[in-house]
């Protein structure tokens, strides 16, 4: 219903700098990609769980559990088919391909959770400011955050509009996909029109608040790398470095695995 | 108004220094045939408070947009004449730069808030001007205390009530320390007490801080605080004068299409001169003249009302201990018990977020109870479903743009009937009848989006009427319309009621309730706290106040005199002059 995942809290994860958190999410993905064997992913999994726990972000994962389960199931099936091994397990599957499927599934879940930690603990404004601090132009950053903000607004107008049309007798539960598409028209037109009207007022309000009045802009949010940020970053960098070394040594791979 | 907010309150300073000078301003929007503004000239001194009133289409919002250069920089068109703010021509610079001197607050508080928390919202404007962080923090603290939202720090704007949102919007403009503040109908969507909160802020701004204020307002009672009132019609400035003089000109206000105040209207009707304006003045004059309210005449009035209520038909909708808790855990309705009888005109009142709309959405099955029961025609809504109930109970949503989608008015109105697969002849007949009853006959081929707001509202009503419902629910049918459009809409509702429809409407407009409702439900925090005829409900001024409502000035005035009258006409018929008594 709501497209906003930010959890208003003040945990250790919340207090980290947005840049640290973005780097952390990126480094987590890099480290994950170094390993094929799911057992070697266990340290990262534990760290991810720890982050989720500190941030209190499990409830956001629960909100998207349907997507998570569907993706995990299809990943388990697909990777079993799309890889081969040497030790037979059952029917067409081998031990190696099974392990690899588990690895890929974990990869998906971990990537999603590290993204979730980021957006659960970082305000829209902080995220954009973080991007600006690492070189994104302000206007691009602002456009990005506006797009993110528009989603919940559109969501709530879809709910009102579908209620309005349902009380006029519109029934959206039809099997035929073409007919169904046609029935969505009474929803789509008002959604577009009201979104356009809203953005117009939004643009006016923006100009009237001096958007772009000066070349140089100041920021109320303080972005400051503190000791905790450097410690976390340092740890993550060491972790990734170790992972890369292990990878180069061929540790953490699955012998006998063929990937297509 | 630099440092104005922190300055100690001092005597009112209206200086002769011109803050706003508008000279012969004429403007035509691109693609329009007629001018939206025709030769407007007016000037405001520093510290003055002007209220601009007039019907929709008079050019009020265009004038507001001209104040910081949104016209002609944002809305393209043809402009002649000029607007100068402290000597600076608005067209010579950008809107963004003007905004340092001229702050604008818009009507739609949803669309003008865009940050994820209150502090960031307030500081956004200052960030654009490169104000340094410590200064931003100090100013932010100052303005949120000033408008009274300091206790909401850290909250996301989307979680605030309507009144709080509008106060936040005002704070975010004040933080930029503009010397001129323009407000375009800032209180239209607010309940009466939140309205007063906003007006209280504006009054303080003018009285103590020599901010120059221009406000567009529909409701006359709120204009009382102003120094001057400007009446506009068809792009022209019809009258500009001191507040009390303009408010006394009851006939001119009515002819322009602005609601005249009840108290001067009453005394004018009674043939008095030098009309009193406020409740206190009215009461004083009434006693001075030693008029009396005739007890038999008043009794007759209430007896007629009781007889009309007794004559209502069977119960159509009944709520029994109705609870509704949203997915978010918010309990929107708490043990609501009420009934709607055939032929009634029921008004549901309450503050923003009091559960009015949630209740109304239970009547046609849009929402299902999470506790208790709603019975329509004696059967629970849960067993019937919206598709079935929708044929008997029509629901007109607050914003007509949430339902209009067709290319022609005819298609729009025919939508429900076509969905229900009625024969084409029947559909034609129904559409014709529905359009006739909303006064849109002959508009079948028009594009509904090209109509005015009140026109679109009528199309929305017609499209619900076409399915011939027994009961018609209207969610805030008068919000966003001007006085004569509001009257037109409510007269239409009254005609439908006379023709046999049962009407339920949700509203903020107290005068609409006073003049059009037969029964009233007052809600507060999901509970029904008062029920009865408008007269009964409005006689409980204090309990209404608890629910963030208040009766119109005129009703207050009659309450102070010991009787509750709903309209000046009604009261005028019950007066015994001193000598006759």
């Amino acid at each position: 219903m709501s497209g906003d995942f930010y959890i208003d809290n003040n945990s250790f994860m919340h207090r980290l700098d947005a840049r640290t958190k973005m780097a952390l999410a990126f480094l987590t993905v890099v480290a994950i990609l170094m390993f094929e064997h799911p057992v070697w992913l266990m340290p990262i999994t534990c760290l991810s769980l720890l982050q989720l726990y500190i941030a209190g972000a499990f409830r956001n994962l629960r909100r998207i559990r349907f997507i998570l389960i569907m993706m995990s199931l299809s990943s388990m099936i697909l990777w079993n088919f799309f890889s081969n091994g040497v030790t037979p397990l059952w029917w067409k599957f081998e031990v190696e391909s099974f392990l690899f499927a588990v690895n890929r599934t974990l990869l998906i879940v971990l990537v999603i959770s590290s993204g979730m930690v980021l957006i659960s603990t970082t305000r829209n404004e902080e995220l954009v400011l973080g991007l600006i601090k690492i070189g994104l132009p302000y206007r691009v950053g602002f456009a990005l955050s506006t797009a993110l903000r528009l989603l919940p607004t559109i969501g709530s107008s879809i709910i009102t509009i579908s209620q309005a049309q349902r009380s006029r007798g519109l029934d959206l539960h039809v099997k035929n996909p073409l007919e169904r598409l046609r029935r969505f028209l009474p929803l789509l037109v008002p959604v577009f029109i009201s979104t356009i009207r809203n953005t117009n007022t939004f643009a006016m309000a923006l100009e009237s608040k001096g958007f772009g009045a000066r070349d140089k802009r100041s920021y109320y949010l303080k972005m400051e790398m503190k000791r905790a940020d450097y410690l976390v970053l340092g740890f993550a960098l060491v972790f990734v470095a170790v992972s890369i070394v292990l990878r180069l040594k061929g540790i953490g791979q699955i012998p006998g695995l063929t990937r297509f | 108004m630099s440092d104005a907010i922190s300055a100690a309150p001092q005597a009112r300073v209206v200086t002769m220094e011109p803050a706003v000078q508008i000279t012969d301003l004429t403007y035509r929007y691109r693609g329009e045939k007629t001018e939206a503004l025709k030769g407007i000239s007016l000037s405001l001194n520093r510290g003055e408070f002007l209220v601009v009133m007039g019907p929709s289409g008079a050019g009020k919002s265009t004038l507001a947009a001209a104040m910081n250069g949104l016209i002609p920089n944002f809305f393209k068109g043809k402009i002649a004449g000029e607007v100068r703010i402290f000597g600076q021509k608005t067209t010579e610079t950008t809107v963004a730069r003007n905004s340092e001197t001229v702050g604008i607050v818009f009507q739609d508080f949803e669309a003008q808030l865009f940050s994820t928390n209150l502090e960031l919202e307030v500081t956004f404007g200052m960030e654009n001007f490169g104000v340094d962080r410590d200064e931003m923090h100090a100013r932010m603290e100052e303005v949120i205390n000033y408008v009274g939202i300091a206790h909401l720090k850290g909250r996301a704007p989307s979680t605030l009530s309507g009144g709080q949102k509008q106060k936040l919007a005002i704070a975010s403009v004040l933080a930029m320390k503009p010397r001129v503040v323009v407000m375009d109908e800032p209180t239209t969507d607010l309940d009466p007490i939140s309205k007063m909160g906003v007006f209280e802020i504006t009054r303080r701004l003018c009285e103590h801080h020599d901010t120059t204020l221009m406000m567009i307002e529909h409701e006359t009672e709120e204009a009382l605080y102003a120094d001057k009132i400007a009446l506009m019609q068809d792009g022209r400035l019809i009258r500009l004068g001191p507040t009390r003089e303009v408010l006394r000109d009851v006939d001119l206000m009515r002819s322009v299409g602005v609601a005249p105040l009840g108290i001067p209207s009453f005394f004018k009707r009674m043939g008095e001169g030098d009309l009193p304006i406020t409740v206190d003045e009215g009461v004083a004059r009434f006693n001075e003249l030693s008029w009396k309210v005739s007890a038999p005449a008043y009794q007759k009035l209430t007896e007629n009302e009781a007889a009309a209520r007794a004559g209502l038909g069977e119960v159509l909708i009944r709520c029994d201990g109705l609870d509704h808790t949203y997915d978010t855990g918010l309990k929107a309705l708490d043990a609501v018990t009420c009934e709607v009888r055939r032929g009634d005109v029921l008004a549901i009142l309450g503050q923003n977020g009091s559960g009015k709309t949630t209740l109304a959405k239970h009547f046609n099955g849009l929402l299902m109870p999470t506790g208790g029961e709603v019975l329509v025609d004696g059967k629970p809504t849960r067993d019937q479903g919206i598709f079935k109930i929708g044929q008997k109970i029509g629901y007109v949503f607050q914003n007509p743009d949430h339902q209009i989608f067709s290319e022609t008015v005819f298609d729009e109105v025919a939508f429900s009937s076509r969905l229900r697969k009625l024969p084409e002849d029947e559909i034609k007949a129904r559409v014709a009848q529905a359009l006739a009853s909303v006064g849109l006959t002959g508009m079948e081929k028009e594009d509904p989006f090209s109509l005015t707001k009140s026109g679109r509202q009528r199309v929305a009503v017609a499209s619900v009427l076409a399915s011939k419902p027994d009961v018609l629910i209207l969610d805030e049918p008068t919000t966003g319309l001007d006085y004569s459009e509001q009257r037109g809409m409510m007269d239409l509702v009254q005609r439908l009621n006379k023709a046999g429809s049962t009407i339920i409407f949700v509203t903020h407009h107290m005068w609409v309730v006073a003049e059009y409702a037969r029964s009233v439900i007052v809600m507060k925090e999901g509970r029904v706290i008062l029920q009865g005829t408008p007269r009964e409900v409005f006689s409980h001024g204090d309990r209404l106040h608890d629910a963030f409502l208040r009766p119109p000035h005129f009703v207050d005035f009659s309450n102070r005199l010991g009787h509750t009258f709903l309209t000046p006409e009604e009261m005028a018929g019950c007066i015994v002059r001193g000598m006759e008594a």
Side-chain angles (χ1 to χ4, degrees):
Chain A
M1 194 164 140
S2 159
D4 189 13
F5 283 100
Y6 180 74
I7 298 170
D8 199 358
N9 233 333
N10 189 25
S11 72
F12 176 76
M13 289 304 293
H14 283 77
R15 287 193 300 270
L16 287 180
D17 192 285
R19 285 164 289 183
T20 311
K21 285 183 272 191
M22 285 189 280
L24 201 58
F26 174 74
L27 292 174
T28 308
V29 176
V30 174
I32 293 168
L33 288 173
M34 294 300 127
F35 300 104
E36 269 178 10
H37 203 289
V39 170
W40 284 89
L41 283 180
M42 282 306 119
I44 304 178
T45 310
C46 290
L47 288 172
S48 286
L49 287 174
L50 185 67
Q51 284 183 36
L52 283 166
Y53 174 75
I54 295 173
F58 280 113
R59 60 178 137 133
N60 276 341
L61 281 187
R62 204 174 311 132
R63 275 168 67 185
I64 56 161
R65 61 181 178 267
F66 181 72
I67 304 173
L68 278 178
I69 293 169
M70 290 313 289
M71 286 177 89
S72 304
L73 281 177
S74 43
S75 149
M76 281 305 290
I77 294 165
L78 286 176
W79 286 107
N80 263 311
F81 278 112
F82 287 106
S83 57
N84 271 329
V86 286
T87 327
L89 179 67
W90 170 70
W91 190 41
K92 282 187 166 180
F93 306 127
E94 295 85 22
V95 175
E96 288 81 6
S97 66
F98 175 76
L99 286 174
F100 188 59
V102 172
N103 170 290
R104 289 289 119 157
T105 308
L106 257 178
L107 176 137
I108 291 172
V109 174
L110 290 177
V111 168
I112 292 178
S113 8
S114 63
M116 194 52 99
V117 168
L118 179 64
I119 60 174
S120 301
T121 60
T122 321
R123 286 180 191 283
N124 205 339
E125 286 92 345
E126 292 175 291
L127 211 54
V128 172
L129 185 54
L131 288 170
I132 292 164
K133 292 260 165 161
I134 57 177
L136 193 77
Y138 174 68
R139 280 171 182 270
V140 177
F142 190 82
L144 198 74
S145 80
T146 308
L148 289 175
R149 235 179 336 237
L150 218 53
L151 290 176
T153 325
I154 295 176
S156 73
S157 67
I158 288 177
I159 290 170
T160 318
I161 288 163
S162 79
Q163 283 186 342
Q165 305 300 35
R166 269 168 53 216
S167 34
R168 294 169 78 192
L170 183 69
D171 187 2
L172 293 171
H173 301 285
V174 267
K175 287 270 163 59
N176 183 342
L178 260 180
E179 173 63 17
R180 200 160 164 184
L181 203 66
R182 211 174 57 83
R183 293 208 179 179
F184 268 94
L185 202 65
L187 296 186
L188 292 179
V189 175
V191 168
F192 273 118
I193 300 266
S194 59
T195 307
I196 288 169
R197 276 179 208 240
N198 274 343
T199 27
N200 206 25
T201 320
F202 176 73
M204 265 187 341
L206 209 56
E207 290 239 12
S208 304
K209 279 192 185 166
F211 183 74
R214 297 267 188 331
D215 294 334
K216 218 168 151 43
R217 195 177 187 279
S218 58
Y219 296 93
Y220 181 67
L221 281 175
K222 233 190 229 155
M223 280 265 163
E224 210 179 27
M225 298 289 285
K226 293 194 230 45
R227 216 163 62 130
D229 289 294
Y230 291 114
L231 285 175
V232 168
L233 267 184
F235 177 77
L237 282 170
V238 170
F239 193 97
V240 169
V242 172
S243 304
I244 293 173
V245 170
L246 289 173
R247 166 76 202 242
L248 292 175
K249 292 196 162 181
I251 298 171
Q253 312 304 309
I254 304 172
L257 177 77
T258 344
R259 292 150 74 172
F260 297 110
Chain B
M1 64 160 221
S2 69
D3 307 315
I5 288 176
S6 48
Q10 27 178 281
R12 181 73 193 273
V13 272
V14 176
T15 59
M16 294 312 282
E17 184 189 352
V20 179
Q21 278 173 297
I22 303 174
T23 322
D24 212 18
L25 182 66
T26 297
Y27 179 77
R28 198 180 72 218
Y29 285 98
R30 183 188 280 168
E32 295 290 319
K33 289 191 189 72
T34 52
E35 282 84 17
L37 294 176
K38 296 169 188 158
I40 304 275
S41 292
L42 67 87
S43 71
L44 286 177
N45 289 327
R46 206 176 83 194
E48 265 190 319
F49 180 7
L50 171 75
V51 164
V52 181
M53 304 187 79
S56 328
K60 306 183 300 293
S61 293
T62 310
L63 184 62
M67 297 285 285
N68 74 342
L70 277 172
I71 276 173
N73 292 332
F74 185 87
F75 297 104
K76 301 293 178 198
K78 195 165 171 287
I79 192 164
E82 61 172 31
V83 179
R84 282 179 188 273
I85 308 288
F86 289 101
Q88 167 80 45
K89 243 178 111 169
T90 51
T91 46
E92 276 167 0
T93 170
T94 63
V95 175
R97 293 224 178 84
N98 278 330
S99 65
E100 207 172 12
T101 339
V102 185
I104 294 202
V105 178
F106 298 92
Q107 176 192 336
D108 184 352
F109 41 71
E110 306 293 342
Q112 60 185 317
L113 301 177
F114 34 77
S115 303
T116 56
N117 82 10
L118 186 131
E119 291 95 313
L120 291 171
E121 190 66 60
V122 175
T123 49
F124 179 81
M126 296 186 276
E127 290 181 323
N128 290 323
F129 289 102
V131 176
D132 105 341
R133 185 174 291 131
D134 293 336
E135 167 79 11
M136 269 199 264
H137 184 76
R139 279 207 228 167
M140 187 267 294
E141 291 283 343
E142 197 176 299
V143 292
I144 63 177
N145 275 306
Y146 188 77
V147 304
I149 51 171
H151 59 292
L152 301 170
K153 241 161 118 178
R155 291 267 297 271
S158 58
T159 64
L160 304 178
S161 76
Q164 293 167 338
K165 280 181 190 163
Q166 196 57 290
K167 281 183 183 170
L168 173 57
I170 293 172
S172 70
V173 165
L174 291 183
M176 295 190 284
K177 303 217 168 190
R179 302 172 75 190
V180 177
V181 175
V182 178
M183 301 193 183
D184 188 356
E185 300 190 30
T187 65
T188 298
D189 294 327
L190 302 183
D191 55 74
I193 299 291
S194 304
K195 265 188 188 161
M196 282 170 68
V198 169
F199 273 92
E200 207 271 319
I201 296 168
T202 58
R203 214 191 58 225
R204 260 189 295 154
L205 274 177
C206 290
E207 283 186 357
H208 305 311
H209 309 299
D210 81 340
T211 309
T212 311
L213 244 170
M214 178 169 131
M215 178 183 273
I216 292 165
E217 183 55 47
H218 268 315
E219 280 182 58
T220 319
E221 287 183 4
E222 320 294 356
L224 266 171
Y225 298 115
D227 297 311
K228 286 182 182 168
I229 294 182
L231 293 180
M232 287 182 71
Q233 193 178 28
D234 295 330
R236 287 202 174 80
L237 187 61
I238 300 283
R239 171 94 193 254
L240 173 67
T243 301
R244 300 180 59 88
E245 267 177 40
V246 178
L247 288 179
R248 282 201 180 110
D249 207 339
V250 173
D251 293 334
L252 175 71
M253 296 190 72
R254 197 173 280 133
S255 79
V256 170
V258 172
L261 284 179
I263 296 169
S265 303
F266 167 73
F267 282 96
K268 185 163 172 71
R269 181 174 268 271
M270 297 297 290
E272 289 294 307
D274 187 27
L275 303 171
I277 305 281
T278 63
V279 175
D280 287 338
E281 291 166 15
V283 172
R285 176 70 66 83
F286 193 89
N287 291 331
E288 212 174 279
L289 291 162
S290 53
W291 287 352
K292 293 275 179 305
V293 173
S294 147
Y298 186 75
Q299 202 183 345
K300 193 150 174 257
L301 210 62
T302 51
E303 275 168 9
N304 285 346
E305 225 163 43
R309 268 181 75 77
L312 291 177
E314 76 278 16
V315 174
L316 291 176
I317 304 172
R318 180 198 298 280
C319 299
D320 246 334
L322 166 64
D323 289 337
H324 191 90
T325 309
Y326 283 107
D327 294 342
T328 54
L330 176 79
K331 188 155 194 182
L333 293 178
D334 186 1
V336 172
T337 297
C338 62
E339 54 182 42
V340 184
R341 296 171 62 181
R342 186 181 290 281
D344 205 352
V345 181
L346 171 70
I348 307 178
L349 302 185
Q351 192 195 7
N352 305 63
S354 60
K356 319 184 282 296
T357 299
T358 307
L359 177 61
K361 282 181 178 168
H362 277 84
F363 293 156
N364 78 333
L366 262 178
L367 293 177
M368 291 298 170
T370 55
E373 223 159 21
V374 180
L375 303 171
V376 171
D377 286 341
K379 283 175 289 238
T381 47
R382 195 182 299 285
D383 302 344
Q384 304 185 66
I386 178 156
F387 194 71
K388 188 146 172 272
I389 305 175
Q391 301 183 8
K392 284 181 282 190
I393 301 182
Y395 195 115
V396 182
F397 274 66
Q398 181 183 348
N399 186 348
D401 299 330
H402 279 160
Q403 52 176 285
I404 292 177
F405 72 99
S406 308
E407 281 168 36
T408 67
V409 169
F410 183 92
D411 288 343
E412 188 63 43
V413 178
F415 176 65
S416 284
S417 311
R418 283 186 179 149
L419 278 178
R420 296 185 202 284
K421 306 223 161 36
L422 296 176
E424 200 60 25
D425 292 349
E426 172 74 12
I427 293 178
K428 278 203 179 111
R430 283 187 173 204
V431 172
Q433 201 187 350
L435 286 177
S437 52
V438 300
L440 286 179
T441 306
M443 308 284 274
E444 288 84 350
K445 298 237 157 57
E446 297 286 322
D447 178 354
F449 291 108
S450 69
L451 303 176
T452 61
K453 168 100 194 255
S454 85
R456 298 201 298 275
Q457 191 104 317
R458 279 165 191 268
V459 171
V461 173
S463 71
V464 172
L465 283 179
S467 48
K468 296 198 170 174
D470 286 342
V471 182
L472 191 61
I473 303 173
L474 302 115
D475 193 353
E476 306 208 14
T478 51
T479 296
L481 303 183
D482 69 25
Y483 176 65
S484 47
E485 289 167 343
Q486 288 177 357
R487 276 235 173 263
M489 177 54 69
M490 292 316 292
D491 286 342
L492 159 66
V493 166
Q494 203 168 44
R495 277 202 307 280
L496 293 171
N497 176 249
K498 293 225 168 85
S501 298
T502 304
I503 308 285
I504 300 168
F505 67 98
V506 173
T507 191
H508 279 320
H509 289 130
M510 297 298 133
W511 73 270
V512 169
V513 177
E515 298 198 19
Y516 291 94
R518 284 178 190 230
S519 35
V520 180
I521 289 180
V522 180
M523 304 211 44
K524 185 195 177 189
E525 289 161 11
R527 283 197 207 100
V528 174
I529 62 159
L530 271 175
Q531 260 185 93
T533 63
R535 203 179 302 284
E536 287 159 8
V537 167
F538 281 151
S539 67
H540 294 101
D542 45 336
R543 288 178 63 192
L544 282 177
H545 202 275
D546 285 346
F548 296 93
L549 303 172
R550 62 177 183 86
H553 278 184
F554 178 75
V555 179
D556 250 353
F557 157 73
S558 69
N559 275 341
R560 288 265 299 272
L561 296 167
H563 294 83
T564 307
F565 287 104
L566 301 174
T567 64
E569 293 74 26
E570 191 181 274
M571 185 166 181
C574 294
I575 296 301
V576 187
R577 290 176 195 263
M579 284 171 255
E580 300 158 26

